[in-house]
Amino acid sequence: MGKIKKGWLLLAIYLATFMTAIESTIVVTAANAISLSFNGNVSISLLFSSYLFSSALSTPVMSRLADQYGKKRIFLFGLSLFVLGTFLCGMSHSFSLLVLFRILQGIGAGGIMPITFALIGELFAYSSRGKIMGLNNSAWGIASLIAPLLGGLLVDRFSWHWVFFINIPFGLLTIMIILFFYTEEKENVSSKFSVDELVQYSILILGLFALLAGIQLLAVNFIAGGIWFSIGLVILFFFMLSEKKKEEPVLPVDTFRIPGFLLFNIVTFLINGVLMGFQVYVPLWIQTQLHLSPTLAGLVLVPSSIFFITGSFLSAKLGKAIGNRSLLLICMSILFAVFVVLGLLTQDTPYVVFLGLAGFSGFGVGTAVTTSVLSAQAFATEKNISTVSGFITLCRTLGQSFMITVFGLVFTFFTKENLLTSGYHSVYFTAAILVVLSGILVFHHKKKRL
C-alpha cells in the first residue's frame, strides 16, 4: 500500500478514535442540562450505561463479522450507525428516544474501536505499532482536555443537542476516507451467515448482558448484582466450552489457548480498571479535600494524559530494549508506588504533588496498556485479527466497567462519617493490590514470547 493511502488511512483511524473518545467525555458536560430539559425526572445514568452496554455487547460480534465479511464493510457499517445515532441523539426531544439512540450509537462504536486496532495491526509492522498506537492514543488525551471546555461552550451558547452534532463532520469525513482510500487485499472469507452463527452470537450477547448488568447492579443491590453477574459467568463458561467444538467459532478459541494471550488480556483488564481509580477519585479528592474548583480538578489529569501518550510512543522501543516482561514489571512498580503514596497522603497535601503523581501514573498505564495490547495482538493471524482486536477492546471495556463499580463499593464501605479520606485511601490501596496482582501474573509467566 502506498504511503499516501496509508497516510489517509492513519488519519481515518485517528478521526474515528477521536470521535469515539470525545463522545465518551463531552456528554458528561451536558448531563445536567439534559436532565433539566426533561424536568429532572430522568435517570441520567441511563445516558451512559446504555452506550457502554451496547458498545460492549456489539464489540465481539462486529469484530468477528469484520474477519468474516471484510473490515471495510463492517467499519463503514459501524461508522454509519454511529453517525446516524449521533444525529438522532441531537434531534431527540424525548429522554426515552435519547436513550434508544444512544444504544444505536453504542452499537456503531462496537464496529469502530476494535477495527481501528485491527487496521493498525494490518497496516504497520510490529516495530512501528507502538508509535502509531501512541499517536492514536493521543486522541483520548486531547479529547479529555478539550471536551469539558467545548461541551460547556456548546451548552452555554447553544443547547445540549450540539454536543452530539459536533461529532457528525468527523464521522462523515472518516467514512469518505475509508470509501476512497481503503482497499482490502483479500476478498470476503465467507458470504454466508448460518443459523448456528446467529445462535452463537445470541448466547454470547446474553452472557455479556447478564455480566454487565450484574456489574452495574452491584453498587445498587449487591445480592441482585451478584446473581446477575454469576448468571453471566455461567452462560459465558458454557458458551466457551461449546465454542471449542464448533467448526467456525465466533471467538478466537485457538488463540485463547495461548497462555501469553490470556495473560496480556488479563493485564489489560486490570490496568484499565486501575486507571479508573486515578481518573475518577483524584479529581474528586481535589474538589472535596483541597476545596479547589472543578476546573483545577480536571487539569490535574493533564500530566496523566501527556505521559500516557509518551509511554505509548516509547512502549515498543522500550520493550525491544529490555523485554516486554521487564517493561511491564517496571510499569507495575511505578503504579504500585503511585497508589501507595496516594493512600498515605493527608488532607493538606499540596496540589503540585498530585500533578507529579499524575505524570507517573499516566506513563505507567500508557506503557503497560500499549505493551499488553500490542503483545496480545501479535498472537493474531490475518484471518482473525479483527476478532482478536475486538476481544482486547472488550477486556478494556469490562475492566473499566467492573473496577469503577468495585471502587465505588470500596469507597462507600470504608468512608467514615465526616471523614472522606478513609474512603479515598481505601480506593487507592485497592488499586495498589490490583497492580500487585498484575505484577505477580507477569512475573510468574516464563514464556519466551514475553
Side-chain angles (χ1 to χ4, degrees), residues 225-432:
I227 292 173
W228 275 101
F229 186 78
S230 301
I231 291 172
L233 286 179
V234 170
I235 292 174
L236 292 174
F237 175 75
F238 285 104
F239 172 76
M240 289 301 300
L241 290 180
S242 67
E243 282 290 278
K244 295 178 181 179
K245 302 174 184 178
K246 299 290 185 182
E247 291 185 9
E248 292 190 12
V250 298
L251 287 180
V253 290
D254 290 335
T255 310
F256 289 163
R257 295 190 180 100
I258 304 172
F261 178 76
L262 290 177
L263 171 72
F264 287 125
N265 277 287
I266 291 171
V267 172
T268 298
F269 176 92
L270 291 173
I271 297 303
N272 274 280
V274 165
L275 178 63
M276 294 296 98
F278 193 94
Q279 288 194 331
V280 173
Y281 287 92
V282 168
L284 283 175
W285 175 294
I286 299 299
Q287 293 180 74
T288 61
Q289 304 305 295
L290 299 186
H291 305 291
L292 297 177
S293 68
T295 301
L296 286 174
L299 288 175
V300 79
L301 297 179
V302 171
S304 179
S305 298
I306 293 172
F307 282 94
F308 184 99
I309 297 167
T310 304
S312 297
F313 268 111
L314 297 176
S315 58
K317 184 178 292 186
L318 291 173
K320 187 177 181 180
I322 64 175
N324 287 341
R325 182 169 177 266
S326 297
L327 180 58
L328 285 172
L329 289 174
I330 291 172
C331 291
M332 304 303 175
S333 300
I334 293 172
L335 289 172
F336 176 74
V338 166
F339 282 106
V340 168
V341 171
L342 283 170
L344 297 174
L345 294 181
T346 59
Q347 284 181 296
D348 57 353
T349 301
Y351 180 79
V352 68
V353 172
F354 292 95
L355 292 174
L357 291 173
F360 283 107
S361 172
F363 182 82
V365 172
T367 307
V369 168
T370 304
T371 300
S372 299
V373 169
L374 292 177
S375 299
Q377 195 182 59
F379 292 104
T381 65
E382 288 185 6
K383 292 183 178 180
N384 70 358
I385 189 169
S386 295
T387 305
V388 168
S389 299
F391 184 77
I392 297 168
T393 304
L394 180 63
C395 286
R396 295 180 70 169
T397 303
L398 290 177
Q400 293 174 355
S401 304
F402 183 65
M403 291 308 168
I404 194 64
T405 302
V406 169
F407 290 141
L409 291 172
V410 169
F411 183 79
T412 302
F413 184 80
F414 286 98
T415 296
K416 299 177 182 178
E417 188 174 356
N418 299 322
L419 188 61
L420 290 177
T421 51
S422 59
Y424 288 118
H425 287 162
S426 299
V427 168
Y428 301 143
F429 283 130
T430 300

Side-chain angles (χ1 to χ4, degrees), residues 28-80:
V28 176
T29 62
N32 187 53
I34 292 172
S35 178
L36 291 175
S37 70
F38 296 112
N39 300 318
N41 298 320
V42 295
S43 177
I44 204 66
S45 63
L46 281 175
L47 197 65
F48 306 101
S49 60
S50 58
Y51 180 83
L52 172 68
F53 266 48
S54 54
S55 62
L57 295 177
S58 64
T59 291
V61 177
M62 291 286 202
S63 53
R64 164 63 181 173
L65 292 175
D67 280 329
Q68 197 168 22
Y69 301 115
K71 288 185 282 295
K72 182 174 182 177
R73 287 183 178 181
I74 302 303
F75 197 29
L76 287 172
F77 179 67
L79 287 166
S80 299

Side-chain angles (χ1 to χ4, degrees), residues 128-150:
S128 61
R129 284 182 203 167
K131 293 181 180 179
I132 301 302
M133 194 71 76
L135 174 65
N136 201 45
N137 283 338
S138 70
W140 290 92
I142 293 172
S144 66
L145 293 176
I146 70 170
L149 298 175
L150 180 60

